[in-house]
Amino acid sequence: GSFTITELAGLKTRVTVTWGDKTSPMPVRIHSGSCENVGAVTNSLSDIVAGKSETTLNVYFDNIIHAEGGRAVVVHKSATELSTLSACGAIK
């Protein structure tokens, strides 16, 4: 899978995540910290459905990219198994 973070006009940010082709929804969140030390949720994203999630956040691009302590995009196994991480990618 992969993710892209795009700066938009109006001080917004788009986050697009692709992961497999699983038909059941998979929750996606931006967490503080790193993949080795996942912290609290900072932004909830649209669930991955049919392999894709796309979310527009009312957050400055730089506040995500250059966040103190780091950020990571985390794909969770399911809504009932949020503690099981299916994938994680550091935001750099």
Side-chain angles (χ1 to χ4, degrees), residues 33-84:
S34 64
C35 292
E36 294 76 25
N37 187 23
V38 176
V41 173
T42 61
N43 305 91
S44 293
L45 306 176
S46 299
D47 289 352
I48 294 174
V49 177
K52 187 173 182 182
S53 163
E54 187 170 284
T55 307
T56 299
L57 300 170
N58 291 318
V59 177
Y60 294 112
F61 177 80
D62 285 345
N63 288 354
I64 295 174
I65 299 298
H66 301 295
E68 187 173 328
R71 294 287 182 267
V73 174
V74 177
V75 177
H76 300 269
K77 183 174 181 179
S78 68
T80 58
E81 296 178 90
L82 291 173
S83 62
T84 303

Side-chain angles (χ1 to χ4, degrees), residues 1-4 16-28 46-54 73-78 84-89:
S2 65
F3 68 89
T4 56
T16 304
V17 181
T18 57
W19 177 255
D21 59 358
K22 189 175 175 184
T23 56
S24 59
M26 297 178 78
V28 185
S46 299
D47 289 352
I48 294 174
V49 177
K52 187 173 182 182
S53 163
E54 187 170 284
V73 174
V74 177
V75 177
H76 300 269
K77 183 174 181 179
S78 68
T84 303
L85 307 184
S86 292
C88 183

Side-chain angles (χ1 to χ4, degrees), residues 6 10 14 20 25 39 69 72-73:
T6 307
R14 179 185 309 124
V73 174

